[in-house]
Amino acid sequence: MVEVCYRSHSLMLSVKRIRKSFGTRRLLHEASFNLGAGQRMALVGENGTGKSTLLKIIAGLEPSDKGIVTIAKGRLVGYLPQETVTDGSESALQFLRNATGIGVLEQEMKALEPLLDQPEKLSEYEALTERFERLGGYAFLDRARGILDGLALDGLDLDRPLQTFSGGEKRKLALAAVLLSGVDLLLLDEPTNNLDLVALLWLEAYLVRSGATLLVASHDRTFLDHVVERVLAIDPVKHGVML
């Protein structure tokens, strides 16, 4: 295993000596690397070597057996799993609002409005308002339309229930939700699945210009060539990561 460090960027993510096994099968061993703010990095390796598991550990959705994941204080993380379950009776617009946190923020802000004469409540309200504005809350529908158009879902009826969309459309909606979330660190697992060429080219351009820190697992080498600056490979023998 090789530990990779970057000193030219302020640190966004630090992964130190992560170990993960399932039963007697060792998947990750002493995996360590750093990711600077604004850097875009690929995570590659053979199927079954632990790419998805490592992303889940970083996202806080899977425990490691040992090791430490540190994300810069106050930074927000968005995660797109490889297998996205997006279903239910809620509309596409409701899904996007709930997935990005806009809907919850609106409810919390409304609950605080009668209490703004209290300094503590006013401070809470201002913090919520800042987050709401960062998500483009006042222009959320326009932002959502712009991203959906880029993903070749232009003209999509956002009032339709999720369960009426195809698997590919649901996957694009899940990707749109992550991109709309205004996060600092994007963790994307095979984001190009179900994307046609137009949507793929749009996503490449979006990720490059967004300024977000990116860690992406993908088998699409052309996509990675166009988007990332560094490549981390999971060693199938040592189960660590190397540049």
Side-chain angles (χ1 to χ4, degrees), residues 21-59:
S21 297
F22 291 97
T24 59
R25 181 181 174 226
R26 176 184 288 178
L27 197 62
L28 298 167
H29 182 71
E30 300 292 318
S32 300
F33 67 94
N34 292 334
L35 184 58
Q39 289 187 320
R40 301 185 302 276
M41 183 181 290
L43 181 62
V44 302
E46 300 174 5
N47 288 334
T49 54
K51 300 187 300 297
S52 295
T53 298
L54 182 55
L55 288 177
K56 289 177 182 177
I57 290 172
I58 295 170

PDB file of all heavy atoms in Angstrom, residues 21-59:
ATOM      1  N   SER A  21     -13.063  -6.264   6.133  1.00  0.00           N
ATOM      2  CA  SER A  21     -13.181  -7.666   5.722  1.00  0.00           C
ATOM      3  C   SER A  21     -14.624  -8.093   5.844  1.00  0.00           C
ATOM      4  O   SER A  21     -15.393  -7.564   6.661  1.00  0.00           O
ATOM      5  CB  SER A  21     -12.300  -8.564   6.598  1.00  0.00           C
ATOM      6  OG  SER A  21     -10.935  -8.239   6.460  1.00  0.00           O
ATOM      7  N   PHE A  22     -15.002  -9.046   5.022  1.00  0.00           N
ATOM      8  CA  PHE A  22     -16.303  -9.685   5.122  1.00  0.00           C
ATOM      9  C   PHE A  22     -16.046 -11.165   5.379  1.00  0.00           C
ATOM     10  O   PHE A  22     -15.631 -11.890   4.480  1.00  0.00           O
ATOM     11  CB  PHE A  22     -17.117  -9.479   3.842  1.00  0.00           C
ATOM     12  CG  PHE A  22     -17.557  -8.055   3.626  1.00  0.00           C
ATOM     13  CD1 PHE A  22     -16.841  -7.203   2.796  1.00  0.00           C
ATOM     14  CD2 PHE A  22     -18.676  -7.559   4.271  1.00  0.00           C
ATOM     15  CE1 PHE A  22     -17.231  -5.889   2.602  1.00  0.00           C
ATOM     16  CE2 PHE A  22     -19.083  -6.239   4.087  1.00  0.00           C
ATOM     17  CZ  PHE A  22     -18.359  -5.402   3.252  1.00  0.00           C
ATOM     18  N   GLY A  23     -16.256 -11.566   6.630  1.00  0.00           N
ATOM     19  CA  GLY A  23     -15.912 -12.934   6.998  1.00  0.00           C
ATOM     20  C   GLY A  23     -14.404 -13.127   6.926  1.00  0.00           C
ATOM     21  O   GLY A  23     -13.625 -12.361   7.479  1.00  0.00           O
ATOM     22  N   THR A  24     -13.984 -14.128   6.174  1.00  0.00           N
ATOM     23  CA  THR A  24     -12.552 -14.403   6.021  1.00  0.00           C
ATOM     24  C   THR A  24     -11.959 -13.685   4.811  1.00  0.00           C
ATOM     25  O   THR A  24     -10.767 -13.806   4.543  1.00  0.00           O
ATOM     26  CB  THR A  24     -12.314 -15.917   5.868  1.00  0.00           C
ATOM     27  OG1 THR A  24     -13.029 -16.393   4.720  1.00  0.00           O
ATOM     28  CG2 THR A  24     -12.790 -16.663   7.109  1.00  0.00           C
ATOM     29  N   ARG A  25     -12.780 -12.946   4.091  1.00  0.00           N
ATOM     30  CA  ARG A  25     -12.316 -12.271   2.879  1.00  0.00           C
ATOM     31  C   ARG A  25     -11.871 -10.853   3.186  1.00  0.00           C
ATOM     32  O   ARG A  25     -12.665 -10.018   3.599  1.00  0.00           O
ATOM     33  CB  ARG A  25     -13.422 -12.254   1.826  1.00  0.00           C
ATOM     34  CG  ARG A  25     -13.004 -11.598   0.519  1.00  0.00           C
ATOM     35  CD  ARG A  25     -14.151 -11.582  -0.467  1.00  0.00           C
ATOM     36  NE  ARG A  25     -13.794 -10.833  -1.647  1.00  0.00           N
ATOM     37  CZ  ARG A  25     -14.569  -9.922  -2.222  1.00  0.00           C
ATOM     38  NH1 ARG A  25     -15.748  -9.639  -1.710  1.00  0.00           N
ATOM     39  NH2 ARG A  25     -14.176  -9.288  -3.306  1.00  0.00           N
ATOM     40  N   ARG A  26     -10.594 -10.580   2.996  1.00  0.00           N
ATOM     41  CA  ARG A  26     -10.067  -9.241   3.192  1.00  0.00           C
ATOM     42  C   ARG A  26     -10.341  -8.413   1.948  1.00  0.00           C
ATOM     43  O   ARG A  26      -9.975  -8.798   0.848  1.00  0.00           O
ATOM     44  CB  ARG A  26      -8.567  -9.296   3.459  1.00  0.00           C
ATOM     45  CG  ARG A  26      -7.931  -7.915   3.581  1.00  0.00           C
ATOM     46  CD  ARG A  26      -6.440  -8.013   3.744  1.00  0.00           C
ATOM     47  NE  ARG A  26      -6.074  -8.513   5.062  1.00  0.00           N
ATOM     48  CZ  ARG A  26      -4.817  -8.726   5.446  1.00  0.00           C
ATOM     49  NH1 ARG A  26      -3.828  -8.500   4.586  1.00  0.00           N
ATOM     50  NH2 ARG A  26      -4.545  -9.164   6.657  1.00  0.00           N
ATOM     51  N   LEU A  27     -10.988  -7.257   2.159  1.00  0.00           N
ATOM     52  CA  LEU A  27     -11.329  -6.397   1.018  1.00  0.00           C
ATOM     53  C   LEU A  27     -10.422  -5.179   0.963  1.00  0.00           C
ATOM     54  O   LEU A  27      -9.888  -4.838  -0.094  1.00  0.00           O
ATOM     55  CB  LEU A  27     -12.794  -5.968   1.121  1.00  0.00           C
ATOM     56  CG  LEU A  27     -13.437  -5.410  -0.144  1.00  0.00           C
ATOM     57  CD1 LEU A  27     -13.452  -6.464  -1.239  1.00  0.00           C
ATOM     58  CD2 LEU A  27     -14.867  -4.932   0.137  1.00  0.00           C
ATOM     59  N   LEU A  28     -10.240  -4.514   2.091  1.00  0.00           N
ATOM     60  CA  LEU A  28      -9.375  -3.344   2.167  1.00  0.00           C
ATOM     61  C   LEU A  28      -8.401  -3.523   3.325  1.00  0.00           C
ATOM     62  O   LEU A  28      -8.789  -3.985   4.402  1.00  0.00           O
ATOM     63  CB  LEU A  28     -10.198  -2.065   2.385  1.00  0.00           C
ATOM     64  CG  LEU A  28     -11.195  -1.682   1.280  1.00  0.00           C
ATOM     65  CD1 LEU A  28     -12.143  -0.603   1.778  1.00  0.00           C
ATOM     66  CD2 LEU A  28     -10.463  -1.218   0.029  1.00  0.00           C
ATOM     67  N   HIS A  29      -7.153  -3.119   3.099  1.00  0.00           N
ATOM     68  CA  HIS A  29      -6.142  -3.269   4.148  1.00  0.00           C
ATOM     69  C   HIS A  29      -5.188  -2.075   4.116  1.00  0.00           C
ATOM     70  O   HIS A  29      -4.499  -1.833   3.126  1.00  0.00           O
ATOM     71  CB  HIS A  29      -5.352  -4.571   3.955  1.00  0.00           C
ATOM     72  CG  HIS A  29      -4.337  -4.801   5.026  1.00  0.00           C
ATOM     73  ND1 HIS A  29      -4.684  -5.127   6.320  1.00  0.00           N
ATOM     74  CD2 HIS A  29      -2.977  -4.722   5.005  1.00  0.00           C
ATOM     75  CE1 HIS A  29      -3.597  -5.261   7.046  1.00  0.00           C
ATOM     76  NE2 HIS A  29      -2.546  -5.011   6.278  1.00  0.00           N
ATOM     77  N   GLU A  30      -5.200  -1.314   5.207  1.00  0.00           N
ATOM     78  CA  GLU A  30      -4.304  -0.167   5.348  1.00  0.00           C
ATOM     79  C   GLU A  30      -4.458   0.830   4.190  1.00  0.00           C
ATOM     80  O   GLU A  30      -3.473   1.411   3.711  1.00  0.00           O
ATOM     81  CB  GLU A  30      -2.844  -0.624   5.441  1.00  0.00           C
ATOM     82  CG  GLU A  30      -2.553  -1.540   6.619  1.00  0.00           C
ATOM     83  CD  GLU A  30      -2.673  -0.822   7.958  1.00  0.00           C
ATOM     84  OE1 GLU A  30      -2.204   0.317   8.063  1.00  0.00           O
ATOM     85  OE2 GLU A  30      -3.245  -1.409   8.901  1.00  0.00           O
ATOM     86  N   ALA A  31      -5.680   1.023   3.727  1.00  0.00           N
ATOM     87  CA  ALA A  31      -5.939   1.969   2.627  1.00  0.00           C
ATOM     88  C   ALA A  31      -5.871   3.397   3.153  1.00  0.00           C
ATOM     89  O   ALA A  31      -6.611   3.758   4.075  1.00  0.00           O
ATOM     90  CB  ALA A  31      -7.301   1.702   2.005  1.00  0.00           C
ATOM     91  N   SER A  32      -4.985   4.189   2.582  1.00  0.00           N
ATOM     92  CA  SER A  32      -4.786   5.565   3.042  1.00  0.00           C
ATOM     93  C   SER A  32      -4.578   6.504   1.867  1.00  0.00           C
ATOM     94  O   SER A  32      -3.860   6.167   0.924  1.00  0.00           O
ATOM     95  CB  SER A  32      -3.557   5.653   3.960  1.00  0.00           C
ATOM     96  OG  SER A  32      -3.680   4.835   5.092  1.00  0.00           O
ATOM     97  N   PHE A  33      -5.194   7.664   1.920  1.00  0.00           N
ATOM     98  CA  PHE A  33      -4.936   8.712   0.935  1.00  0.00           C
ATOM     99  C   PHE A  33      -5.549  10.014   1.426  1.00  0.00           C
ATOM    100  O   PHE A  33      -6.410  10.019   2.314  1.00  0.00           O
ATOM    101  CB  PHE A  33      -5.480   8.347  -0.450  1.00  0.00           C
ATOM    102  CG  PHE A  33      -6.989   8.284  -0.528  1.00  0.00           C
ATOM    103  CD1 PHE A  33      -7.736   9.378  -0.928  1.00  0.00           C
ATOM    104  CD2 PHE A  33      -7.659   7.107  -0.203  1.00  0.00           C
ATOM    105  CE1 PHE A  33      -9.121   9.323  -1.003  1.00  0.00           C
ATOM    106  CE2 PHE A  33      -9.041   7.037  -0.281  1.00  0.00           C
ATOM    107  CZ  PHE A  33      -9.777   8.138  -0.675  1.00  0.00           C
ATOM    108  N   ASN A  34      -5.110  11.115   0.853  1.00  0.00           N
ATOM    109  CA  ASN A  34      -5.661  12.439   1.130  1.00  0.00           C
ATOM    110  C   ASN A  34      -6.208  13.038  -0.159  1.00  0.00           C
ATOM    111  O   ASN A  34      -5.702  12.762  -1.248  1.00  0.00           O
ATOM    112  CB  ASN A  34      -4.588  13.380   1.688  1.00  0.00           C
ATOM    113  CG  ASN A  34      -4.122  12.968   3.072  1.00  0.00           C
ATOM    114  OD1 ASN A  34      -4.853  12.331   3.819  1.00  0.00           O
ATOM    115  ND2 ASN A  34      -2.893  13.329   3.404  1.00  0.00           N
ATOM    116  N   LEU A  35      -7.229  13.856  -0.010  1.00  0.00           N
ATOM    117  CA  LEU A  35      -7.818  14.541  -1.155  1.00  0.00           C
ATOM    118  C   LEU A  35      -7.976  16.013  -0.812  1.00  0.00           C
ATOM    119  O   LEU A  35      -8.627  16.361   0.185  1.00  0.00           O
ATOM    120  CB  LEU A  35      -9.188  13.916  -1.496  1.00  0.00           C
ATOM    121  CG  LEU A  35      -9.922  14.433  -2.730  1.00  0.00           C
ATOM    122  CD1 LEU A  35      -9.081  14.259  -3.982  1.00  0.00           C
ATOM    123  CD2 LEU A  35     -11.254  13.684  -2.898  1.00  0.00           C
ATOM    124  N   GLY A  36      -7.350  16.856  -1.619  1.00  0.00           N
ATOM    125  CA  GLY A  36      -7.403  18.286  -1.362  1.00  0.00           C
ATOM    126  C   GLY A  36      -8.685  18.921  -1.869  1.00  0.00           C
ATOM    127  O   GLY A  36      -9.347  18.406  -2.773  1.00  0.00           O
ATOM    128  N   ALA A  37      -9.041  20.047  -1.295  1.00  0.00           N
ATOM    129  CA  ALA A  37     -10.242  20.768  -1.716  1.00  0.00           C
ATOM    130  C   ALA A  37     -10.146  21.138  -3.193  1.00  0.00           C
ATOM    131  O   ALA A  37      -9.134  21.667  -3.644  1.00  0.00           O
ATOM    132  CB  ALA A  37     -10.418  22.020  -0.864  1.00  0.00           C
ATOM    133  N   GLY A  38     -11.194  20.829  -3.931  1.00  0.00           N
ATOM    134  CA  GLY A  38     -11.241  21.155  -5.349  1.00  0.00           C
ATOM    135  C   GLY A  38     -10.594  20.133  -6.258  1.00  0.00           C
ATOM    136  O   GLY A  38     -10.696  20.251  -7.482  1.00  0.00           O
ATOM    137  N   GLN A  39      -9.939  19.121  -5.695  1.00  0.00           N
ATOM    138  CA  GLN A  39      -9.323  18.096  -6.527  1.00  0.00           C
ATOM    139  C   GLN A  39     -10.357  17.069  -6.993  1.00  0.00           C
ATOM    140  O   GLN A  39     -11.347  16.809  -6.319  1.00  0.00           O
ATOM    141  CB  GLN A  39      -8.206  17.380  -5.769  1.00  0.00           C
ATOM    142  CG  GLN A  39      -6.978  18.228  -5.547  1.00  0.00           C
ATOM    143  CD  GLN A  39      -5.838  17.423  -4.945  1.00  0.00           C
ATOM    144  OE1 GLN A  39      -6.042  16.593  -4.082  1.00  0.00           O
ATOM    145  NE2 GLN A  39      -4.639  17.692  -5.412  1.00  0.00           N
ATOM    146  N   ARG A  40     -10.112  16.500  -8.147  1.00  0.00           N
ATOM    147  CA  ARG A  40     -10.991  15.481  -8.723  1.00  0.00           C
ATOM    148  C   ARG A  40     -10.170  14.205  -8.928  1.00  0.00           C
ATOM    149  O   ARG A  40      -9.201  14.193  -9.695  1.00  0.00           O
ATOM    150  CB  ARG A  40     -11.587  15.968 -10.049  1.00  0.00           C
ATOM    151  CG  ARG A  40     -12.399  17.234  -9.908  1.00  0.00           C
ATOM    152  CD  ARG A  40     -13.077  17.636 -11.221  1.00  0.00           C
ATOM    153  NE  ARG A  40     -12.124  17.840 -12.302  1.00  0.00           N
ATOM    154  CZ  ARG A  40     -11.459  18.966 -12.513  1.00  0.00           C
ATOM    155  NH1 ARG A  40     -11.628  20.003 -11.709  1.00  0.00           N
ATOM    156  NH2 ARG A  40     -10.616  19.072 -13.537  1.00  0.00           N
ATOM    157  N   MET A  41     -10.584  13.153  -8.245  1.00  0.00           N
ATOM    158  CA  MET A  41      -9.805  11.930  -8.223  1.00  0.00           C
ATOM    159  C   MET A  41     -10.672  10.726  -8.594  1.00  0.00           C
ATOM    160  O   MET A  41     -11.839  10.641  -8.205  1.00  0.00           O
ATOM    161  CB  MET A  41      -9.209  11.725  -6.821  1.00  0.00           C
ATOM    162  CG  MET A  41      -8.308  10.517  -6.668  1.00  0.00           C
ATOM    163  SD  MET A  41      -7.692  10.372  -4.963  1.00  0.00           S
ATOM    164  CE  MET A  41      -6.584  11.785  -4.910  1.00  0.00           C
ATOM    165  N   ALA A  42     -10.085   9.806  -9.373  1.00  0.00           N
ATOM    166  CA  ALA A  42     -10.758   8.565  -9.741  1.00  0.00           C
ATOM    167  C   ALA A  42     -10.335   7.456  -8.804  1.00  0.00           C
ATOM    168  O   ALA A  42      -9.194   7.403  -8.339  1.00  0.00           O
ATOM    169  CB  ALA A  42     -10.419   8.187 -11.176  1.00  0.00           C
ATOM    170  N   LEU A  43     -11.255   6.547  -8.539  1.00  0.00           N
ATOM    171  CA  LEU A  43     -10.982   5.336  -7.774  1.00  0.00           C
ATOM    172  C   LEU A  43     -11.248   4.167  -8.711  1.00  0.00           C
ATOM    173  O   LEU A  43     -12.384   3.952  -9.136  1.00  0.00           O
ATOM    174  CB  LEU A  43     -11.898   5.269  -6.554  1.00  0.00           C
ATOM    175  CG  LEU A  43     -11.729   4.069  -5.621  1.00  0.00           C
ATOM    176  CD1 LEU A  43     -10.339   4.051  -5.003  1.00  0.00           C
ATOM    177  CD2 LEU A  43     -12.787   4.114  -4.512  1.00  0.00           C
ATOM    178  N   VAL A  44     -10.183   3.442  -9.067  1.00  0.00           N
ATOM    179  CA  VAL A  44     -10.329   2.364 -10.046  1.00  0.00           C
ATOM    180  C   VAL A  44      -9.842   1.046  -9.451  1.00  0.00           C
ATOM    181  O   VAL A  44      -9.140   1.007  -8.445  1.00  0.00           O
ATOM    182  CB  VAL A  44      -9.549   2.673 -11.346  1.00  0.00           C
ATOM    183  CG1 VAL A  44     -10.025   3.983 -11.964  1.00  0.00           C
ATOM    184  CG2 VAL A  44      -8.045   2.737 -11.083  1.00  0.00           C
ATOM    185  N   GLY A  45     -10.222  -0.030 -10.107  1.00  0.00           N
ATOM    186  CA  GLY A  45      -9.838  -1.369  -9.671  1.00  0.00           C
ATOM    187  C   GLY A  45     -10.764  -2.392 -10.278  1.00  0.00           C
ATOM    188  O   GLY A  45     -11.833  -2.055 -10.815  1.00  0.00           O
ATOM    189  N   GLU A  46     -10.373  -3.634 -10.189  1.00  0.00           N
ATOM    190  CA  GLU A  46     -11.192  -4.708 -10.724  1.00  0.00           C
ATOM    191  C   GLU A  46     -12.495  -4.819  -9.938  1.00  0.00           C
ATOM    192  O   GLU A  46     -12.583  -4.373  -8.786  1.00  0.00           O
ATOM    193  CB  GLU A  46     -10.424  -6.030 -10.654  1.00  0.00           C
ATOM    194  CG  GLU A  46      -9.121  -6.037 -11.445  1.00  0.00           C
ATOM    195  CD  GLU A  46      -8.327  -7.305 -11.232  1.00  0.00           C
ATOM    196  OE1 GLU A  46      -8.826  -8.224 -10.546  1.00  0.00           O
ATOM    197  OE2 GLU A  46      -7.187  -7.382 -11.744  1.00  0.00           O
ATOM    198  N   ASN A  47     -13.508  -5.407 -10.550  1.00  0.00           N
ATOM    199  CA  ASN A  47     -14.765  -5.640  -9.852  1.00  0.00           C
ATOM    200  C   ASN A  47     -14.518  -6.468  -8.598  1.00  0.00           C
ATOM    201  O   ASN A  47     -13.761  -7.444  -8.627  1.00  0.00           O
ATOM    202  CB  ASN A  47     -15.761  -6.368 -10.754  1.00  0.00           C
ATOM    203  CG  ASN A  47     -16.311  -5.465 -11.845  1.00  0.00           C
ATOM    204  OD1 ASN A  47     -16.363  -4.256 -11.692  1.00  0.00           O
ATOM    205  ND2 ASN A  47     -16.735  -6.058 -12.953  1.00  0.00           N
ATOM    206  N   GLY A  48     -15.149  -6.052  -7.506  1.00  0.00           N
ATOM    207  CA  GLY A  48     -15.024  -6.811  -6.269  1.00  0.00           C
ATOM    208  C   GLY A  48     -13.828  -6.458  -5.416  1.00  0.00           C
ATOM    209  O   GLY A  48     -13.598  -7.098  -4.377  1.00  0.00           O
ATOM    210  N   THR A  49     -13.056  -5.443  -5.821  1.00  0.00           N
ATOM    211  CA  THR A  49     -11.867  -5.088  -5.040  1.00  0.00           C
ATOM    212  C   THR A  49     -12.170  -4.096  -3.914  1.00  0.00           C
ATOM    213  O   THR A  49     -11.273  -3.804  -3.107  1.00  0.00           O
ATOM    214  CB  THR A  49     -10.765  -4.499  -5.941  1.00  0.00           C
ATOM    215  OG1 THR A  49     -11.303  -3.407  -6.702  1.00  0.00           O
ATOM    216  CG2 THR A  49     -10.210  -5.558  -6.885  1.00  0.00           C
ATOM    217  N   GLY A  50     -13.388  -3.561  -3.867  1.00  0.00           N
ATOM    218  CA  GLY A  50     -13.751  -2.721  -2.731  1.00  0.00           C
ATOM    219  C   GLY A  50     -13.993  -1.252  -3.025  1.00  0.00           C
ATOM    220  O   GLY A  50     -14.078  -0.438  -2.100  1.00  0.00           O
ATOM    221  N   LYS A  51     -14.125  -0.887  -4.292  1.00  0.00           N
ATOM    222  CA  LYS A  51     -14.347   0.528  -4.628  1.00  0.00           C
ATOM    223  C   LYS A  51     -15.638   1.046  -3.989  1.00  0.00           C
ATOM    224  O   LYS A  51     -15.641   2.085  -3.327  1.00  0.00           O
ATOM    225  CB  LYS A  51     -14.408   0.708  -6.152  1.00  0.00           C
ATOM    226  CG  LYS A  51     -13.154   0.276  -6.891  1.00  0.00           C
ATOM    227  CD  LYS A  51     -13.209   0.623  -8.367  1.00  0.00           C
ATOM    228  CE  LYS A  51     -14.376  -0.051  -9.093  1.00  0.00           C
ATOM    229  NZ  LYS A  51     -14.259  -1.525  -9.085  1.00  0.00           N
ATOM    230  N   SER A  52     -16.725   0.324  -4.211  1.00  0.00           N
ATOM    231  CA  SER A  52     -18.016   0.767  -3.662  1.00  0.00           C
ATOM    232  C   SER A  52     -18.008   0.757  -2.147  1.00  0.00           C
ATOM    233  O   SER A  52     -18.559   1.650  -1.500  1.00  0.00           O
ATOM    234  CB  SER A  52     -19.145  -0.134  -4.188  1.00  0.00           C
ATOM    235  OG  SER A  52     -19.299   0.008  -5.585  1.00  0.00           O
ATOM    236  N   THR A  53     -17.362  -0.247  -1.569  1.00  0.00           N
ATOM    237  CA  THR A  53     -17.287  -0.329  -0.109  1.00  0.00           C
ATOM    238  C   THR A  53     -16.522   0.853   0.469  1.00  0.00           C
ATOM    239  O   THR A  53     -16.930   1.448   1.471  1.00  0.00           O
ATOM    240  CB  THR A  53     -16.616  -1.642   0.322  1.00  0.00           C
ATOM    241  OG1 THR A  53     -17.405  -2.743  -0.138  1.00  0.00           O
ATOM    242  CG2 THR A  53     -16.473  -1.729   1.830  1.00  0.00           C
ATOM    243  N   LEU A  54     -15.412   1.219  -0.162  1.00  0.00           N
ATOM    244  CA  LEU A  54     -14.633   2.362   0.326  1.00  0.00           C
ATOM    245  C   LEU A  54     -15.442   3.652   0.240  1.00  0.00           C
ATOM    246  O   LEU A  54     -15.411   4.476   1.170  1.00  0.00           O
ATOM    247  CB  LEU A  54     -13.339   2.485  -0.484  1.00  0.00           C
ATOM    248  CG  LEU A  54     -12.383   3.602  -0.058  1.00  0.00           C
ATOM    249  CD1 LEU A  54     -12.023   3.495   1.410  1.00  0.00           C
ATOM    250  CD2 LEU A  54     -11.121   3.583  -0.919  1.00  0.00           C
ATOM    251  N   LEU A  55     -16.176   3.844  -0.843  1.00  0.00           N
ATOM    252  CA  LEU A  55     -17.020   5.040  -0.953  1.00  0.00           C
ATOM    253  C   LEU A  55     -18.087   5.064   0.137  1.00  0.00           C
ATOM    254  O   LEU A  55     -18.368   6.118   0.724  1.00  0.00           O
ATOM    255  CB  LEU A  55     -17.678   5.093  -2.333  1.00  0.00           C
ATOM    256  CG  LEU A  55     -16.762   5.429  -3.521  1.00  0.00           C
ATOM    257  CD1 LEU A  55     -17.544   5.379  -4.827  1.00  0.00           C
ATOM    258  CD2 LEU A  55     -16.113   6.805  -3.356  1.00  0.00           C
ATOM    259  N   LYS A  56     -18.688   3.909   0.425  1.00  0.00           N
ATOM    260  CA  LYS A  56     -19.696   3.840   1.484  1.00  0.00           C
ATOM    261  C   LYS A  56     -19.099   4.144   2.845  1.00  0.00           C
ATOM    262  O   LYS A  56     -19.732   4.793   3.686  1.00  0.00           O
ATOM    263  CB  LYS A  56     -20.352   2.455   1.489  1.00  0.00           C
ATOM    264  CG  LYS A  56     -21.269   2.193   0.305  1.00  0.00           C
ATOM    265  CD  LYS A  56     -21.819   0.768   0.350  1.00  0.00           C
ATOM    266  CE  LYS A  56     -22.690   0.485  -0.860  1.00  0.00           C
ATOM    267  NZ  LYS A  56     -23.181  -0.922  -0.871  1.00  0.00           N
ATOM    268  N   ILE A  57     -17.882   3.672   3.090  1.00  0.00           N
ATOM    269  CA  ILE A  57     -17.209   3.963   4.362  1.00  0.00           C
ATOM    270  C   ILE A  57     -16.971   5.462   4.498  1.00  0.00           C
ATOM    271  O   ILE A  57     -17.228   6.063   5.548  1.00  0.00           O
ATOM    272  CB  ILE A  57     -15.884   3.178   4.454  1.00  0.00           C
ATOM    273  CG1 ILE A  57     -16.161   1.681   4.623  1.00  0.00           C
ATOM    274  CG2 ILE A  57     -15.035   3.682   5.617  1.00  0.00           C
ATOM    275  CD1 ILE A  57     -14.925   0.806   4.527  1.00  0.00           C
ATOM    276  N   ILE A  58     -16.500   6.090   3.421  1.00  0.00           N
ATOM    277  CA  ILE A  58     -16.248   7.532   3.457  1.00  0.00           C
ATOM    278  C   ILE A  58     -17.550   8.305   3.675  1.00  0.00           C
ATOM    279  O   ILE A  58     -17.593   9.302   4.399  1.00  0.00           O
ATOM    280  CB  ILE A  58     -15.563   7.992   2.158  1.00  0.00           C
ATOM    281  CG1 ILE A  58     -14.173   7.350   2.054  1.00  0.00           C
ATOM    282  CG2 ILE A  58     -15.448   9.516   2.105  1.00  0.00           C
ATOM    283  CD1 ILE A  58     -13.508   7.542   0.705  1.00  0.00           C
ATOM    284  N   ALA A  59     -18.635   7.811   3.053  1.00  0.00           N
ATOM    285  CA  ALA A  59     -19.941   8.471   3.186  1.00  0.00           C
ATOM    286  C   ALA A  59     -20.592   8.219   4.540  1.00  0.00           C
ATOM    287  O   ALA A  59     -21.621   8.821   4.856  1.00  0.00           O
ATOM    288  CB  ALA A  59     -20.876   7.994   2.074  1.00  0.00           C
TER     289      ALA A  59
END
